């Protein structure tokens, strides 16, 4: 039977309700009405938006809920970024209070500098209009709006107190038109249109538990923002940063975390290479970065883990860490795709 009606969605823990329109996912409906729920990839692969269905039913017309395993499905878990309500729902999900008052805005941003951090990673600095700063939490991301309604997401690498300029780390993707354009054609003073801040990857305060931060490749960017923010706040909460990449060149600003470790006794840094090159002369840790975390912390029950990187890394760790005693509600992550992207054309010429 065709379903043209709105449905009411009730969040059990807070008692909040909102409505979904026909075809709208639960997450879209919530965000549209100012209800902040956790999410990251928005394509069904990271599991960040997981909630539990207490009553009602949902369908998945766009992508199947790939991030859910059979047990989670049998337990009634749903992915809110993909689930469309068939009828009224009642669900439980972690609500995100910290971002509820931060407006998401669409802004023009001028490229104020572009620098290669390695042959494959560019650092872009984007200057926002003087009267329109973007408030954000360390760890969040922005989307760059492309013609045809497409978007590309990039974590903000700079901390919130440097509000004049946003720093992005952009990895060149083979076959990625947008990243090729950034590397080869984008000029300083070019204008991009951005929307943000987005995402629910940010530091949960109210705990002094030691933090393990784990980044893969340019997944270092939001962790850099978090650490710089904590240093600015003079926090001495212990941090052990693990940064994984294939080879030395991909640890594109190794000096910075090495400096943190030298200068601050509460920060520890472990770089890990999965596939070092002979010319790297690598003497450090090798293998997968999540394995290095487990080797150093076979018992994770006292920690909080913040991780950011490609879906395969996140997915593996998200299943491996709970087996080491990490509670579900102490694991926070951001998952992003490096995949080839959409046809691209210049939005605005530099001027
Ligand atoms: Fe829904 Fe990633 S699976 S946000």
């Amino acid at each position: 039977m065709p379903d043209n009606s709105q449905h009411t969605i009730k969040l059990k823990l807070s008692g909040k309700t909102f409505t979904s329109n026909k075809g709208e996912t639960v997450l879209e409906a919530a965000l549209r009405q100012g209800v902040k729920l956790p999410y990251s990839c928005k394509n069904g692969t990271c599991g960040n938006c997981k909630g539990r269905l207490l009553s009602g039913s949902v369908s998945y017309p766009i992508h199947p809920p790939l991030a859910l395993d059979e047990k989670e499905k049998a337990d009634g878990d749903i992915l809110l970024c993909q689930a469309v309500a068939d009828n009224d729902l009642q669900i439980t999900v972690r609500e995100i209070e910290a971002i509820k008052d931060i407006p998401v805005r669409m802004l023009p941003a001028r490229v104020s500098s572009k620098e290669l951090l390695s042959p494959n990673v560019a650092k872009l600095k984007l200057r926002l209009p003087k009267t329109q700063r973007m408030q954000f939490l360390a760890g969040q991301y922005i989307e760059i709006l492309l013609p045809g309604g497409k978007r590309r997401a990039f974590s903000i690498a700079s901390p919130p107190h440097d509000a004049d300029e946003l720093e992005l780390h952009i990895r060149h993707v083979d076959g990625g038109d947008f990243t090729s354009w950034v590397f080869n054609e984008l000029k300083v003073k070019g204008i991009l249109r951005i929307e943000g801040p987005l995402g629910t990857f940010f530091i949960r305060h109210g705990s002094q538990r030691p933090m393990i931060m784990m980044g893969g490749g340019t997944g270092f960017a939001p962790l850099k923002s978090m650490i710089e923010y904590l240093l600015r706040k003079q926090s001495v909460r212990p941090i052990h940063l693990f940064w994984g990449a294939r080879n030395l060149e991909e640890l594109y600003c190794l000096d910075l975390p090495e400096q943190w470790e030298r200068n601050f006794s509460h920060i520890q840094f472990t770089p890990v290479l999965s596939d070092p090159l002979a010319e790297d002369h690598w003497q450090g840790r090798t293998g997968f970065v999540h394995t290095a975390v487990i080797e150093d912390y076979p018992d994770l029950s006292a920690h909080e883990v913040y991780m950011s990187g490609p879906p395969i890394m996140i997915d593996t760790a998200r299943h491996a860490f709970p087996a080491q005693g990490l509670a579900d509600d102490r694991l926070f992550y951001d998952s992003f795709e490096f995949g080839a992207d959409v046809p691209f054309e210049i939005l605005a010429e530099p001027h």
Side-chain angles (χ1 to χ4, degrees):
M1 196 166 55
D3 173 16
N4 294 316
S5 51
Q6 289 190 322
H7 299 301
T8 301
I9 297 162
K10 180 167 184 183
L11 304 181
K12 170 124 189 284
L13 297 179
S14 65
K16 277 182 201 151
T17 59
F18 55 96
T19 51
S20 67
N21 294 326
K22 185 186 173 212
E24 194 176 36
T25 66
V26 176
L27 179 68
E28 283 166 346
L31 296 179
R32 177 173 58 76
Q33 289 157 90
V35 178
K36 306 294 188 189
L37 301 179
Y39 66 93
S40 175
C41 72
K42 290 202 267 186
N43 62 22
T45 55
C46 79
N48 222 331
C49 64
K50 188 170 79 172
R52 183 155 294 183
L53 189 60
L54 302 176
S55 64
S57 63
V58 299
S59 32
Y60 293 101
I62 311 159
H63 298 300
L66 294 176
L68 295 180
D69 59 31
E70 289 312 313
K71 173 165 188 322
E72 288 170 320
K73 283 188 215 161
D75 288 345
D77 288 345
I78 57 174
L79 291 184
L80 304 183
C81 74
Q82 299 302 318
V84 172
D86 294 333
N87 38 46
D88 290 350
L89 308 180
Q90 184 170 198
I91 56 181
T92 48
V93 60
R94 284 180 291 137
E95 288 176 59
I96 308 282
E97 284 302 311
I99 55 169
K100 79 175 186 326
D101 298 323
I102 299 183
V104 176
R105 312 171 68 190
M106 219 173 266
L107 295 169
R110 183 182 297 267
V111 179
S112 55
S113 73
K114 176 175 126 176
E115 182 192 329
L116 284 189
L117 297 173
S118 78
N120 274 317
V121 177
K123 174 166 88 177
L124 279 194
K125 286 204 170 178
L126 302 181
R127 183 166 287 274
L128 302 176
K130 276 202 170 50
T131 51
Q132 303 184 58
R133 296 290 145 76
M134 184 187 287
Q135 195 192 349
F136 65 95
L137 298 176
Q140 288 192 286
Y141 70 87
I142 58 163
E143 286 181 342
I144 297 180
L145 310 189
L146 308 179
K150 304 286 185 184
R151 293 158 174 255
R152 290 298 315 270
F154 296 97
S155 295
I156 305 170
S158 45
H161 51 265
D162 286 343
D164 291 359
E165 284 187 325
L166 302 179
E167 177 182 322
L168 309 180
H169 297 171
I170 299 185
R171 177 175 177 253
H172 185 257
V173 178
D174 288 338
D177 290 348
F178 175 72
T179 60
S180 295
W181 178 78
V182 168
F183 270 68
N184 302 325
E185 293 176 56
L186 176 64
K187 303 261 185 316
V188 171
K189 293 190 179 171
I191 303 285
L192 299 171
R193 193 155 289 279
I194 65 172
E195 183 173 41
L198 299 165
T200 55
F201 184 57
F202 57 84
I203 299 162
R204 301 326 195 247
H205 294 290
S207 145
Q208 281 307 309
R209 287 175 183 281
M211 305 164 89
I212 291 172
M213 295 191 178
M214 182 177 91
T218 48
F220 172 70
L223 304 178
K224 169 181 177 289
S225 174
M226 288 176 167
I227 291 175
E228 290 180 338
Y229 161 77
L230 289 167
L231 289 175
R232 167 72 167 232
K233 277 189 48 192
Q234 301 189 325
S235 160
V236 290
R237 195 169 160 190
I239 298 171
H240 191 159
L241 170 68
F242 292 79
W243 187 9
R246 281 174 303 187
N247 55 53
L248 193 53
E249 188 177 272
E250 293 182 359
L251 297 179
Y252 53 82
C253 56
L254 194 56
D255 291 0
L256 182 62
E258 285 178 346
Q259 225 173 69
W260 291 331
E261 185 177 49
R262 267 198 310 277
N263 296 343
F264 302 99
S265 58
H266 65 286
I267 299 184
Q268 225 182 314
F269 172 52
T270 303
V272 185
L273 296 185
S274 62
D275 204 5
L277 305 173
E279 63 259 36
D280 291 342
H281 304 295
W282 184 246
Q283 305 287 322
R285 301 281 286 273
T286 52
F288 291 123
V289 63
H290 78 278
T291 311
V293 172
I294 292 172
E295 281 164 7
D296 288 6
Y297 297 94
D299 178 0
L300 283 167
S301 60
H303 290 78
E304 276 179 15
V305 175
Y306 292 80
M307 55 188 192
S308 168
I312 179 75
M313 179 195 98
I314 298 293
D315 199 46
T316 311
R318 161 174 109 74
H319 289 98
F321 290 167
Q324 307 301 130
L326 182 69
D328 239 15
D329 59 354
R330 295 194 198 125
L331 176 60
F332 309 101
Y333 53 91
D334 199 14
S335 172
F336 50 83
E337 291 282 0
F338 289 132
D341 47 31
V342 297
F344 183 73
E345 62 193 61
I346 295 173
L347 288 178
E349 290 291 353
H351 57 274

